[in-house]
Amino acid sequence: MFKEYYNVIGVMSGTSLDGVDLACIKFNISERWTFEICQTETISYPENWQDKLNNAIHFTTDELNELNLEYTRYLASIISEFIIKHKLSEIDAICSHGHTILHQPQNGFTLQIGNLPLLGELLNCKIVCDFRVQDVQLGGQGAPLVPIGDEILFSEYDYCLNLGGFSNVSFKEKDKRIAFDISPVNTVLNYYANELGFPYDDAGNIAKSGSVDLDLLKQLNEIDYYKAAYPKSLGMEFVNQTIFPLLHSFSIDNKDKMRTFVEHIAIQIAAVCIKPNAKLFVTGGGVYNRFLMQRLQLHLSAIDVVIPDDKTIQFKEALIFALLGVLKLRDEVNVLSSVTGAKVNHSSGTIYNELL
């Protein structure tokens, strides 16, 4: 007999390198799933860790193994401090995504560091982690994983959109949940903000001061990925091999590149969210980019754009990975084949310290 109440910690680190998101979540599973986002915190990466995680895509196997060990220790210390600081007790599990370094589903490979058994040893708590590997082994993209949460927790919305390192969307089509990555977002905008000496583009003001380069915009919109059928997903490989070479080939100001890319993001999202009078639920750090949201709402004039409370905006992914962990503990489906392209729906993830 499964429990009706779970007290878990969701842990997420995204490709935008904003930091590690931690959220204590209470789930109630009686007639339907309900949740409460309790204590939350984002631990920003210090500069040395940003550099390591940015450059890790070029590491050798031995260097990656060492980084994985080092990052697992670092992640354990962050989680431990979060538990102590907020005086958390009776934790059923820590559900951790880790940090994606390599994502090559076409080659049958994905790597999220921080998911070693050492995490369970250091925290002496039940751990559920490494959610993507099994899906790739089953022929799936290993992403996106959030849509099962949209299905269970946010089904009243026609579209669920996340604006983070990448934009991704989930929606129902012919009674099946469909989801895929749409385009890069903060992975590109943050890069150019960094070039200008800023950690990010506050409220989108830098991009707003630029001008759209119509030739660049046209070439961005013609990239093959956007014409490809789903399931499909994006990683930093796409940004480094396709997006940056194109952007770097244009001798225009960075603010103009950012302005053009904001328009590109809005156009690509609008090309996907086409149901008239639909409700679009938007979360992720990109929501705070006011200029991006203005451009998005302009391109989605027939759609009701719904922005939730700050905790949900900032910690939805940590919430969903907490949910994935609970589903894994219950041996219930937490990855949808209609979303990832895997052979079957399945319950993915690794459990450490299962008997605790």
Side-chain angles (χ1 to χ4, degrees):
M1 189 72 178
F2 289 126
K3 295 170 46 155
E4 286 190 0
Y5 302 94
Y6 289 86
N7 181 35
V8 296
I9 297 173
V11 184
M12 175 67 194
S13 173
T15 47
S16 56
L17 290 177
D18 294 334
V20 179
D21 291 337
L22 303 106
C24 181
I25 312 291
K26 292 182 179 177
F27 288 108
N28 184 348
I29 312 159
S30 47
E31 293 181 8
R32 63 188 182 89
W33 286 77
T34 60
F35 67 90
E36 179 186 359
I37 303 177
C38 303
Q39 295 83 358
T40 59
E41 196 167 352
T42 297
I43 306 299
S44 298
Y45 284 118
E47 191 173 336
N48 67 317
W49 268 110
Q50 284 193 359
D51 290 343
K52 285 179 189 177
L53 297 176
N54 260 325
N55 294 321
I57 196 170
H58 307 298
F59 282 12
T60 65
T61 300
D62 285 346
E63 288 171 334
L64 281 175
N65 288 337
E66 180 59 34
L67 179 68
N68 199 352
L69 199 61
E70 189 181 355
Y71 185 78
T72 300
R73 290 195 184 100
Y74 176 64
L75 194 59
S77 69
I78 287 174
I79 296 169
S80 179
E81 287 170 15
F82 178 74
I83 292 170
I84 293 167
K85 177 179 177 179
H86 296 285
K87 299 176 182 176
L88 303 179
S89 60
E90 299 180 1
I91 299 165
D92 291 304
I94 294 165
C95 313
S96 180
H97 170 269
H99 184 85
T100 298
I101 297 296
L102 300 169
H103 185 63
Q104 302 168 9
Q106 71 278 10
N107 299 322
F109 183 74
T110 186
L111 172 65
Q112 286 70 46
I113 60 173
N115 291 328
L116 298 175
L118 178 64
L119 188 66
E121 294 169 19
L122 292 172
L123 291 169
N124 193 32
C125 185
K126 190 177 294 182
I127 307 288
V128 192
C129 63
D130 223 6
F131 296 99
R132 298 189 188 274
V133 171
Q134 179 176 294
D135 189 74
V136 171
Q137 291 171 346
L138 288 169
Q141 290 283 309
L145 299 185
V146 168
I148 186 74
D150 296 335
E151 181 79 18
I152 292 173
L153 304 177
F154 301 106
S155 60
E156 67 267 36
Y157 299 100
D158 298 288
Y159 297 101
C160 289
L161 175 71
N162 183 71
L163 298 173
F166 300 88
S167 58
N168 50 67
V169 69
S170 130
F171 55 93
K172 272 295 201 50
E173 186 176 86
K174 297 178 182 176
D175 293 325
K176 282 188 175 180
R177 177 65 55 172
I178 301 298
F180 52 92
D181 290 337
I182 300 177
S183 76
V185 180
N186 290 334
T187 45
V188 172
L189 298 179
N190 287 357
Y191 172 86
Y192 284 107
N194 294 166
E195 290 273 294
L196 293 169
F198 300 95
Y200 58 91
D201 185 5
D202 188 17
N205 289 326
I206 301 173
K208 188 176 181 178
S209 70
S211 301
V212 173
D213 185 298
L214 293 176
D215 185 24
L216 174 57
L217 181 63
K218 181 174 181 288
Q219 290 190 45
L220 284 167
N221 288 331
E222 288 175 349
I223 289 171
D224 287 342
Y225 176 83
Y226 303 120
K227 302 167 195 161
Y230 47 78
K232 56 184 180 177
S233 62
L234 293 170
M236 279 307 298
E237 292 89 341
F238 173 78
V239 176
N240 289 327
Q241 294 166 16
T242 303
I243 298 295
F244 282 151
L246 176 56
L247 289 167
H248 294 341
S249 73
F250 278 74
S251 299
I252 59 176
D253 287 344
N254 282 353
K255 64 183 180 182
D256 296 333
K257 292 180 182 181
M258 294 170 74
R259 173 67 184 88
T260 304
F261 205 79
V262 163
E263 202 67 20
H264 169 65
I265 294 164
I267 287 170
Q268 291 305 322
I269 291 170
V272 171
C273 303
I274 56 175
K275 296 177 189 173
N277 305 313
K279 291 176 74 175
L280 173 68
F281 185 69
V282 191
T283 55
V287 171
Y288 298 110
N289 185 321
R290 287 199 296 271
F291 181 62
L292 171 59
M293 293 304 297
Q294 287 168 9
R295 299 309 302 167
L296 188 56
Q297 289 182 309
L298 182 74
H299 284 280
L300 293 171
S301 56
I303 284 181
D304 180 18
V305 177
V306 179
I307 299 173
D309 62 279
D310 277 346
K311 273 190 177 181
T312 307
I313 290 172
Q314 296 174 41
F315 295 97
K316 184 192 172 205
E317 287 194 303
L319 161 69
I320 301 298
F321 279 98
L323 173 68
L324 263 64
V326 172
L327 290 168
K328 176 64 179 179
L329 292 175
R330 295 167 62 88
D331 198 27
E332 295 178 6
V333 168
N334 64 3
V335 181
L336 301 171
S337 60
S338 63
V339 167
T340 67
K343 296 171 186 173
V344 290
N345 292 340
H346 55 102
S347 188
S348 189
T350 299
I351 304 173
Y352 300 132
N353 299 338
E354 191 159 9
L355 298 179
L356 284 179

